[in-house]
Amino acid sequence: MMFAGSGASGGAPSARSLPAGAAREVVPNRVMTWNLCNPCGASDVDRAAEIATYAPQVIGVQEACAGDVGRIRDYLESRFGLVYHVAYGSVLRNWGRCGGVPWHPGAYGQAILSAAPMTDHVTVEYPDGGSEDRGYMAVTTEVSGRSVRVFNTHLAERRQEAVRADQVRVLAAAVAEHDRAIVIGDFNAVPDAPELAAMWKLAQDVDPRCRPSSAHLCEPSTDWQARFDYVFLRGIAPLGHGVHPTEHSDHDLLHADLDRA
């Protein structure tokens, strides 16, 4: 099902100031992934301020209501001067999470925001979503001044290992078609989980220390101290990364700085 409609939580209090050292314009070689955790009660202006602190070129969000994504994009421009295009992925219609009325529930799922235009947008539902429909979206856009294919996904919830393994195989087959790719999202699996094997064969995590064989070195990205969120790179070298705890979701923001070459 395609993202359409709106209706969501998130008020609009005054924007807080950005911390000292925050980026003042889009960082062209930076990408970010963030599971927004809807409904988590966070305001969209606060979410926008979190993103604006790091000002990535590309942002992939999961568990996102369409209305929230639109407002976040608007706040990024009006309050922080950061202008983004947006593309939406495969989602659910979910009145409980995103509001609306029973006959027009809000759309809930994934989105990509990019400072550069996006082309060749596709959305794919996994054959088996597990406990709810899941899929991936992909666009071609610009990072570090070069064209790159960007994938954003949210895999099946925990305790559905076999389902996730099938989903990763579908995703990996699409990623393998590209020499340069960035794969971001919430994989709902720790680095040494067997179901991620197909992804590790194709790509590396932005943290060179984070591998299945050294999973204990991977920084956690969730409130329950597990690493579920990744920026996988294929044909691109990492320069640095950061995991940023936030009070606005049960997932941390993960940003990655990539080689411009």
Side-chain angles (χ1 to χ4, degrees):
M1 183 180 298
M2 293 293 295
F3 228 147
S6 60
S9 60
S14 296
R16 61 187 186 184
S17 1
L18 294 176
R24 297 300 170 184
E25 58 185 21
V26 168
V27 181
N29 68 324
R30 179 169 292 171
V31 300
M32 174 183 287
T33 184
W34 192 15
N35 182 316
L36 296 184
C37 176
N38 265 305
C40 278
S43 75
D44 292 323
V45 73
D46 284 339
R47 289 169 169 154
E50 292 270 18
I51 292 170
T53 299
Y54 309 102
Q57 173 83 358
V58 170
I59 309 135
V61 292
Q62 308 87 38
E63 291 198 55
C65 293
D68 285 328
V69 173
R71 282 187 289 272
I72 289 168
R73 181 180 62 166
D74 290 345
Y75 289 137
L76 284 166
E77 181 173 1
S78 64
R79 296 176 181 258
F80 305 108
L82 303 174
V83 179
Y84 290 96
H85 305 267
V86 64
Y88 298 105
S90 56
V91 298
L92 303 171
R93 302 284 189 156
N94 197 302
W95 182 86
R97 281 175 168 148
C98 297
V101 290
W103 57 91
H104 190 212
Y108 164 84
Q110 306 150 37
I112 293 176
L113 294 92
S114 173
M118 292 175 277
T119 61
D120 304 318
H121 175 199
V122 299
T123 61
V124 176
E125 278 195 30
Y126 294 124
D128 183 358
S131 55
E132 67 179 31
D133 292 342
R134 293 288 167 92
Y136 72 82
M137 63 180 299
V139 301
T140 298
T141 189
E142 186 177 286
V143 177
S144 300
R146 295 186 61 186
S147 177
V148 64
R149 194 67 171 161
V150 178
F151 295 81
N152 181 19
T153 192
H154 187 191
L155 299 190
E157 296 172 333
R158 288 174 289 176
R159 298 178 296 278
Q160 298 180 82
E161 293 85 355
V163 173
R164 285 197 299 276
D166 288 340
Q167 292 172 347
V168 171
R169 282 191 283 270
V170 171
L171 176 62
V175 174
E177 297 177 1
H178 302 273
D179 294 332
R180 286 171 46 84
I182 301 168
V183 187
I184 57 184
D186 175 4
F187 284 72
N188 270 317
V190 294
D192 56 353
E195 61 264 34
L196 294 189
M199 186 56 59
W200 287 114
K201 289 178 181 177
L202 285 175
Q204 63 174 328
D205 184 69
V206 70
D207 181 356
R209 303 171 304 167
C210 186
R211 297 288 183 272
S213 59
S214 55
H216 64 287
L217 297 177
C218 302
E219 295 176 75
S221 64
T222 66
D223 284 356
W224 47 96
Q225 295 301 300
R227 176 68 178 274
F228 280 3
D229 305 275
Y230 298 87
V231 176
F232 285 111
L233 304 176
R234 176 172 169 82
I236 304 169
L239 292 180
H241 76 285
V243 178
H244 309 287
T246 172
E247 62 186 35
H248 304 303
S249 174
D250 57 359
H251 286 251
D252 300 330
L253 292 81
L254 170 60
H255 94 264
D257 292 337
L258 311 181
D259 192 348
R260 297 173 186 266

